[in-house]
Amino acid sequence: MIGLGLIGGSLVRAATAAGRVTWGATASVETADAARADGYDVARDTDEALLRARDEDALVVLATPLTAVATVLRRVDAMAPECRLTDVVSVQAPVTEAVLRLAPRTRYVGGHPMAGTAESGWPAGSAKLFDRANWVVIAEDDTDPEVWADVAELAWACGSLVVPSGVREHDAAVGRISHLTHLFAAILASVAAAGNDPWSGAGGDDGALALTLAAGSFADATRVMDTRPELVLAMCEGNRAGLLPAVDDALGRLGAARGSLASTGGLAATVNAGHQARMEWHELRSAPARRTIPRAPLDLAELRKLGHAGTQLTGWSA
Amino acid sequence: MIGLGLIGGSLVRAATAAGRVTWGATASVETADAARADGYDVARDTDEALLRARDEDALVVLATPLTAVATVLRRVDAMAPECRLTDVVSVQAPVTEAVLRLAPRTRYVGGHPMAGTAESGWPAGSAKLFDRANWVVIAEDDTDPEVWADVAELAWACGSLVVPSGVREHDAAVGRISHLTHLFAAILASVAAAGNDPWSGAGGDDGALALTLAAGSFADATRVMDTRPELVLAMCEGNRAGLLPAVDDALGRLGAARGSLASTGGLAATVNAGHQARMEWHELRSAPARRTIPRAPLDLAELRKLGHAGTQLTGWSA
């Protein structure tokens, strides 16, 4: 485990609890001390952890922020150039591109466990973090089936459900459900605070009244703006290619709503579609498509198709 | 109290608990029976309730949906044409306009207690609903100070904080914090479900993957789409004038974010502004501006100024 923050630290705990041999590395002396004090095996440095992974043909997990990925990959290429490799960074295209460029001989299969909390760092970690979470495991045509199985088994060992996906489908999906949500939250908060009120006789640019009255739905919809801006930026800007089509779709829909509101005064098309989409989401959650798959041979195109239909894989078929 | 749904029913309970003489009317026989069974005074019909209000110079509270306001106002004009009148309908401009047209002799002062739950109807009501809630009381230059004081005292008796506002400032503020939030929720859910993914090789128009992965921030940001669409539509369409400038502001900001993301890849301006706005909201909540005001004379322009600055009034000065 390279990186022992919230995700990496939780993963070390979860995998250890599941009976796996784990060891980690972190750039932070404080984190290393804390993890060792909690009884976990932390190497002196990244190189040491990677050499051991090479010697034992272990699965290396990249659990750093996106900004540190290139640095770590250079060490991977130097120390364990053909290792089994996955990541839990989040956005897939930039990590995949960096792996191809900096550690091209690794047997890399991208991953994204969709779990987190508002906290960060080793102390906030928990072996239970991935329980019942979706864990996307990338299945492209050139994916190594052995390593795909390694990553899926790690996810299952941590209590997660495996959702296979292509790189671009994954990035487009998280662009729509997560990164667009962050962008909308930013804009909603800004519009409220700007108080750009053409009627106001009292000065115009003052959102104190709106912010004072804001509660309930506004509080929930802008909650993610509590996160430090640099983390939101790293996430959203890192998924530029996946976020752009989502923004364009949203702009089209908001423009259509605006036109309808201004001309006929009606918003039925917008609101009905939104309600129906939310009901679809509830239905998928209450009756998820879950199944097992045969261990071999792995059909990568079939895996992508299952993920595309929202299927959660629970393990190997008997 | 004309209307005994969630808001009207809670208000009757809260005002009664505060020692006030209250009576109500409702178009629903079921609701009337339920309220009577709970010990509340429910008139045979709206006319009877209004005649009694005329005889006792009581404050009449319009607590119906916006769609029923015109019908009730015609009865007000027939039965108690000069009564003290307020409302708890929500959007102010359409109610004010209807009062001027249909019951022009009433001493009307608009109001908006900003409280609610996901439930509706008499059984969902609670005497505690308005506790610590903001209750906007409209202060225009032609507002009757006696009735303004009546409405403020009712709000205080129910445990609320009074925020004075002009009609248009109020409607613009709720357009930004509530109705735009609903519109954003609708669009966010639709974009996720549409799965308008230019990359997807598996059919394009399928949001199953995105909806399966959606949780956390998406769930919170689209929560209001659980509400029945007709209620959302009544609210948003009823505030067309207050919502349009908010949508235009949002379109401008979303377009700017899109341009920046597409050209430089940066979203710092958008995200930093959103974070700062959210921090302003937290600050206002943790250190709200609260004060008392002298009972007489009421300075209506000064009241609007206080509300514009986000001031919550807690009672009369000693």
Side-chain angles (χ1 to χ4, degrees), chain B residues 127-271:
Chain B
K128 296 278 172 212
L129 189 66
F130 308 103
D131 206 41
R132 302 288 93 186
N134 287 304
W135 190 316
V136 175
V137 184
I138 297 299
E140 293 282 354
D141 287 336
D142 61 355
T143 294
D144 182 323
E146 281 309 304
V147 182
W148 195 94
D150 284 348
V151 180
E153 285 172 0
L154 175 63
W156 289 325
C158 295
S160 291
L161 300 152
V162 168
V163 179
S165 174
V167 166
R168 296 199 293 191
E169 291 92 327
H170 166 272
D171 287 359
V174 297
R176 296 201 299 272
I177 60 173
S178 171
H179 306 149
L180 184 62
T181 297
H182 282 76
L183 217 52
F184 266 32
I187 289 168
L188 201 54
S190 299
V191 169
N196 191 4
D197 174 4
W199 292 319
S200 168
D205 193 37
D206 184 334
L209 174 64
L211 290 180
T212 298
L213 301 181
S217 58
F218 175 88
D220 283 355
T222 61
R223 179 178 53 80
V224 292
M225 279 301 106
D226 284 342
T227 309
R228 282 190 288 131
E230 55 270 33
L231 297 183
V232 176
L233 285 171
M235 203 169 61
C236 294
E237 293 177 355
N239 191 23
R240 181 182 185 175
L243 179 53
L244 256 180
V247 174
D248 284 339
D249 193 358
L251 268 171
R253 288 170 194 268
L254 189 58
R258 198 272 172 208
S260 179
L261 184 64
S263 57
T264 68
L267 289 168
T270 303
V271 171

Side-chain angles (χ1 to χ4, degrees), chain A residues 1 11-24 39-41 49 52-53 56-61 154 157:
Chain A
M1 189 69 51
L11 193 42
V12 160
R13 290 175 175 96
T16 305
R20 295 178 165 236
V21 177
T22 64
W23 61 96
Y40 294 92
D41 186 352
R52 183 172 165 196
E56 303 188 20
D57 195 22
L59 178 66
V60 175
V61 183
L154 174 63

Side-chain angles (χ1 to χ4, degrees), chain B:
Chain B
M1 189 69 50
I2 312 299
L4 294 173
L6 173 71
I7 301 292
S10 295
L11 194 41
V12 159
R13 289 175 175 97
T16 305
R20 293 179 168 236
V21 178
T22 65
W23 61 96
T26 167
S28 155
V29 176
E30 213 175 38
T31 297
D33 288 346
R36 285 193 194 105
D38 288 342
Y40 294 93
D41 185 351
V42 182
R44 258 180 311 147
D45 58 23
T46 301
D47 281 4
E48 187 186 71
L50 291 171
L51 281 175
R52 183 172 164 196
R54 183 196 63 186
D55 292 346
E56 303 188 19
D57 196 21
L59 178 66
V60 175
V61 184
L62 276 176
T64 66
L66 186 55
T67 45
V69 161
T71 308
V72 173
L73 285 175
R74 288 194 184 90
R75 300 319 304 155
V76 170
D77 194 51
M79 296 293 130
E82 297 178 7
C83 70
R84 301 164 188 261
L85 181 68
T86 188
D87 79 289
V88 292
V89 173
S90 162
V91 183
Q92 288 297 317
V95 179
T96 304
E97 183 274 330
V99 169
L100 284 174
R101 192 162 45 86
L102 301 169
R105 285 173 295 163
T106 55
R107 288 166 284 159
Y108 170 66
V109 176
H112 182 199
M114 304 199 62
T117 70
E119 316 283 300
S120 60
W122 172 268
S126 155
K128 296 278 172 212
L129 189 66
F130 308 103
D131 206 41
R132 302 288 93 186
N134 287 304
W135 190 316
V136 175
V137 184
I138 297 299
E140 293 282 354
D141 287 336
D142 61 355
T143 294
D144 182 323
E146 281 309 304
V147 182
W148 195 94
D150 284 348
V151 180
E153 285 172 0
L154 175 63
W156 289 325
C158 295
S160 291
L161 300 152
V162 168
V163 179
S165 174
V167 166
R168 296 199 293 191
E169 291 92 327
H170 166 272
D171 287 359
V174 297
R176 296 201 299 272
I177 60 173
S178 171
H179 306 149
L180 184 62
T181 297
H182 282 76
L183 217 52
F184 266 32
I187 289 168
L188 201 54
S190 299
V191 169
N196 191 4
D197 174 4
W199 292 319
S200 168
D205 193 37
D206 184 334
L209 174 64
L211 290 180
T212 298
L213 301 181
S217 58
F218 175 88
D220 283 355
T222 61
R223 179 178 53 80
V224 292
M225 279 301 106
D226 284 342
T227 309
R228 282 190 288 131
E230 55 270 33
L231 297 183
V232 176
L233 285 171
M235 203 169 61
C236 294
E237 293 177 355
N239 191 23
R240 181 182 185 175
L243 179 53
L244 256 180
V247 174
D248 284 339
D249 193 358
L251 268 171
R253 288 170 194 268
L254 189 58
R258 198 272 172 208
S260 179
L261 184 64
S263 57
T264 68
L267 289 168
T270 303
V271 171
N272 288 337
H275 180 68
Q276 198 190 319
R278 173 84 180 178
M279 293 304 106
E280 282 172 36
W281 176 75
H282 278 302
E283 275 163 42
L284 271 169
R285 285 174 78 85
S286 62
R290 288 190 182 152
R291 54 166 291 183
T292 57
I293 49 165
R295 170 70 182 77
L298 282 181
D299 180 339
L300 294 159
E302 175 64 19
L303 284 177
R304 279 200 302 281
K305 214 169 141 190
L306 287 171
H308 191 82
T311 314
Q312 298 170 317
L313 306 179
T314 56
W316 305 127
S317 336

Side-chain angles (χ1 to χ4, degrees), chain A residues 82-207:
Chain A
E82 296 179 8
C83 71
R84 302 165 187 258
L85 181 67
T86 188
D87 79 290
V88 292
V89 173
S90 162
V91 181
Q92 288 298 319
V95 179
T96 305
E97 182 273 333
V99 170
L100 284 174
R101 192 160 46 86
L102 301 169
R105 286 172 294 162
T106 55
R107 291 164 284 159
Y108 169 66
V109 175
H112 182 198
M114 303 198 62
T117 69
E119 316 285 302
S120 61
W122 172 269
S126 157
K128 296 280 172 210
L129 189 66
F130 308 103
D131 204 41
R132 302 288 91 187
N134 287 304
W135 190 317
V136 175
V137 184
I138 297 299
E140 294 283 354
D141 287 336
D142 60 354
T143 293
D144 182 323
E146 282 309 305
V147 182
W148 195 94
D150 284 348
V151 180
E153 285 172 0
L154 174 63
W156 290 325
C158 296
S160 292
L161 301 152
V162 169
V163 179
S165 173
V167 166
R168 296 199 293 191
E169 290 92 325
H170 167 271
D171 287 359
V174 298
R176 295 201 300 272
I177 60 171
S178 171
H179 305 149
L180 185 62
T181 297
H182 283 76
L183 217 52
F184 266 32
I187 289 168
L188 201 53
S190 298
V191 169
N196 193 2
D197 173 4
W199 293 319
S200 167
D205 192 36
D206 183 335

